[in-house]
Amino acid sequence: MAQSIKLGDDIMKIVRRESELQSRSIAGQIAHWMRIGRAIEKSGNFDHIRITAALAGDIETTELTDEEKDVWLDSFVEKLAQPGPDENAFFARRRQLGLGVGLDEAGNLLREKAARKA
C-alpha cells in the first residue's frame, strides 16, 4: 500500500533535478536513494554514529574510514549550505535596514543599492 510523506522544498528540488538526469520518476529516484542508503548503512564499511560524532566535533575526522569520510563530507557540505537561525536573523535585519549584502527569502544574493538623493 502506497504511503504519502512530506519532504521539504529543498529536498524535492534535488530529487526532481536528479530524477530528470537519471530518467526516473520522482518516486523511483527516492526509492533508488533509499535502497542505496540502506545498503551502505548495512554494509559494515562505516558506522553512522561515528559520522554523527565527527559532524558534532566529538571525534576527529582523521579517525574515520575512507567510506565514513565520504559520507561525512557530503553531510558537512550539506550543513554548510544551510544558513542557521542567527545567520537568517542577521541578514533579515540588514534587509530591513537596507544595508550591505545579504540573502533574500529564496537564498539569492542581494547587494546594497545606492540610495538616490532627491
Side-chain angles (χ1 to χ4, degrees):
M1 180 171 136
Q3 297 280 320
S4 295
I5 61 168
K6 291 184 180 184
L7 298 174
D9 290 340
D10 55 335
I11 292 172
M12 286 307 300
K13 182 178 177 183
I14 295 167
V15 171
R16 281 187 186 95
R17 188 190 74 214
E18 197 65 27
S19 70
E20 289 174 10
L21 292 173
Q22 301 299 328
S23 298
R24 293 186 182 104
S25 67
I26 289 173
Q29 185 64 43
I30 293 170
H32 174 71
W33 279 341
M34 188 274 318
R35 285 189 297 274
I36 290 172
R38 186 167 186 256
I40 289 171
E41 285 185 350
K42 292 186 171 280
S43 72
N45 289 335
F46 74 87
D47 182 346
H48 189 69
I49 293 170
R50 288 169 37 87
I51 295 166
T52 302
L55 285 168
D58 295 334
I59 66 170
E60 295 291 327
T61 57
T62 55
E63 297 179 37
L64 300 176
T65 66
D66 288 342
E67 291 85 3
E68 289 170 338
K69 285 179 186 174
D70 288 342
V71 175
W72 171 85
L73 183 59
D74 287 344
S75 297
F76 183 73
V77 169
E78 184 178 326
K79 286 182 183 294
L80 280 178
Q82 302 300 320
D86 291 341
E87 188 176 1
N88 285 331
F90 172 81
F91 286 117
R93 180 71 177 139
R94 290 188 66 82
R95 280 193 302 276
Q96 280 180 332
L97 298 172
L99 300 174
V101 176
L103 301 174
D104 65 12
E105 289 75 19
N108 299 311
L109 187 63
L110 297 175
R111 299 192 187 276
E112 178 183 13
K113 295 185 179 180
R116 294 184 183 204
K117 294 185 179 185

